[in-house]
Amino acid sequence: MFDIMTSIIDPVSKEMDSDRHIEYMRAICKEFEASPEFAETSSGNSEVLYVYAYLDFAGSYIGESAGTMKPGDNHEILFELMPRKFSVEASAAENIIAEIRAFWKFIERTRNHAPASRMLEFLNDDVASELRDQLADESKYGMAKSFSMMGTKQGFDMRTQAGAQQFMAVYNAQMAARQKANNNSQKQDLHSSFDNADYDDQDEDHYVTDPSTIRNESARVGRNDPCTCGSGKKFKKCCGTNS
């Protein structure tokens, strides 16, 4: 029988050790999967799914295992982490809570673990209803979950790498087409703004419609003519010296 008090904390770094954590979850979930408690759940899963995710959130984000978890940890896992990160439909809330309750019943029966009874007290029907509401609130979705849920709604199996890659290709094509459509729309709006622009007479004075009509009408001064400054000298000897 697996010891649920086995630590998932690295003794040197004092932080959660990923390898220890994964081994812990696999061992305890394998036992739970073979238990009568799991067989009685109504989730319809052939293997542990929700409890594995539940324990993963506990270890990865809180640093707790099944042996060290406290009832208050459920609030953070169920109402903060799962709505933001767990890609599952809101309709699964009742099955999630049913599977987690079955897990703690299994722990209580096989380990005589005192905190298990307090965990069961927390996991009531009201918790399932609250979890359903939280999972349905798309404003709580993280970026990765939003992407995953989008792919699932379009019929891709986002639980597999192949399914995620297929959706990524489709998503990129959709974004490229949308960007192209936006660019074309902006160009059309720009043309329309010029076609429909209104100019008054004062505005028209700022535009030259026929440059060939511009003439320099001033009289040309010869180099031997009197300088226009009135000095009495010839233009070439006065103002026209540098001309």
Side-chain angles (χ1 to χ4, degrees), residues 181-240:
N182 287 340
N183 289 341
N184 290 338
S185 177
Q186 289 173 0
K187 289 179 180 178
Q188 184 61 42
D189 290 342
L190 183 61
H191 288 311
S192 296
S193 67
F194 281 112
D195 292 341
N196 298 323
D198 293 326
Y199 301 106
D200 58 24
D201 292 340
Q202 185 177 1
D203 291 329
E204 291 178 356
D205 290 341
H206 295 285
Y207 296 88
V208 177
T209 57
D210 184 3
S212 65
T213 61
I214 299 177
R215 297 285 190 272
N216 184 355
E217 302 297 341
S218 61
R220 185 174 182 82
V221 180
R223 289 176 58 77
N224 292 315
D225 291 339
C227 187
T228 56
C229 72
S231 66
K233 298 180 182 179
K234 291 184 179 181
F235 178 71
K236 66 180 180 179
K237 296 291 185 177
C238 190
C239 296

Side-chain angles (χ1 to χ4, degrees), residues 148-201:
S148 179
M149 296 297 285
M150 191 186 307
T152 299
K153 288 180 179 179
Q154 293 193 31
F156 294 89
D157 186 355
M158 300 299 286
R159 296 170 299 179
T160 66
Q161 184 176 359
Q165 289 176 340
Q166 289 171 358
F167 174 61
M168 175 66 79
V170 171
Y171 177 81
N172 287 338
Q174 291 173 341
M175 292 301 293
R178 187 176 302 170
Q179 184 62 47
K180 183 178 180 180
N182 287 340
N183 289 341
N184 290 338
S185 177
Q186 289 173 0
K187 289 179 180 178
Q188 184 61 42
D189 290 342
L190 183 61
H191 288 311
S192 296
S193 67
F194 281 112
D195 292 341
N196 298 323
D198 293 326
Y199 301 106
D200 58 24
D201 292 340

Side-chain angles (χ1 to χ4, degrees), residues 11-231:
V12 177
S13 67
K14 305 301 181 182
E15 296 180 353
M16 191 273 292
D17 184 289
S18 296
D19 291 336
R20 290 169 179 256
H21 179 43
I22 291 173
E23 290 176 4
Y24 186 108
M25 290 190 297
R26 287 176 175 171
I28 195 64
C29 285
K30 183 177 181 180
E31 278 193 42
F32 174 51
E33 201 169 272
S35 72
E37 286 85 0
F38 178 69
E40 291 174 1
T41 63
S42 59
S43 65
N45 297 323
S46 59
E47 59 184 16
V48 174
L49 172 63
Y50 303 131
V51 166
Y52 193 93
Y54 172 76
L55 294 176
D56 191 19
F57 287 130
S60 298
Y61 294 93
I62 304 178
E64 305 289 353
S65 66
T68 61
M69 283 179 67
K70 302 174 287 296
D73 295 330
N74 283 301
H75 191 282
E76 183 173 355
I77 296 170
L78 296 173
F79 302 147
E80 296 180 26
L81 293 171
M82 280 194 172
R84 187 167 76 250
K85 296 179 176 294
F86 194 25
S87 298
V88 65
E89 296 291 342
S91 58
E94 284 75 11
N95 288 337
I96 292 173
I97 298 303
E99 189 173 296
I100 295 173
R101 281 183 57 84
F103 173 74
W104 286 113
K105 287 180 180 179
F106 158 72
I107 294 297
E108 185 178 45
R109 176 178 65 82
T110 59
R111 269 72 175 180
N112 194 28
H113 186 58
S117 60
R118 296 199 298 273
M119 302 297 272
L120 288 167
E121 290 175 2
F122 180 91
L123 297 164
N124 54 39
D125 292 340
D126 290 338
V127 169
S129 178
E130 176 65 17
L131 177 59
R132 184 174 59 251
D133 292 341
Q134 295 291 333
L135 290 173
D137 186 353
E138 295 186 6
S139 68
K140 295 183 178 296
Y141 290 6
M143 186 178 297
K145 179 175 178 177
S146 295
F147 183 80
S148 179
M149 296 297 285
M150 191 186 307
T152 299
K153 288 180 179 179
Q154 293 193 31
F156 294 89
D157 186 355
M158 300 299 286
R159 296 170 299 179
T160 66
Q161 184 176 359
Q165 289 176 340
Q166 289 171 358
F167 174 61
M168 175 66 79
V170 171
Y171 177 81
N172 287 338
Q174 291 173 341
M175 292 301 293
R178 187 176 302 170
Q179 184 62 47
K180 183 178 180 180
N182 287 340
N183 289 341
N184 290 338
S185 177
Q186 289 173 0
K187 289 179 180 178
Q188 184 61 42
D189 290 342
L190 183 61
H191 288 311
S192 296
S193 67
F194 281 112
D195 292 341
N196 298 323
D198 293 326
Y199 301 106
D200 58 24
D201 292 340
Q202 185 177 1
D203 291 329
E204 291 178 356
D205 290 341
H206 295 285
Y207 296 88
V208 177
T209 57
D210 184 3
S212 65
T213 61
I214 299 177
R215 297 285 190 272
N216 184 355
E217 302 297 341
S218 61
R220 185 174 182 82
V221 180
R223 289 176 58 77
N224 292 315
D225 291 339
C227 187
T228 56
C229 72
S231 66

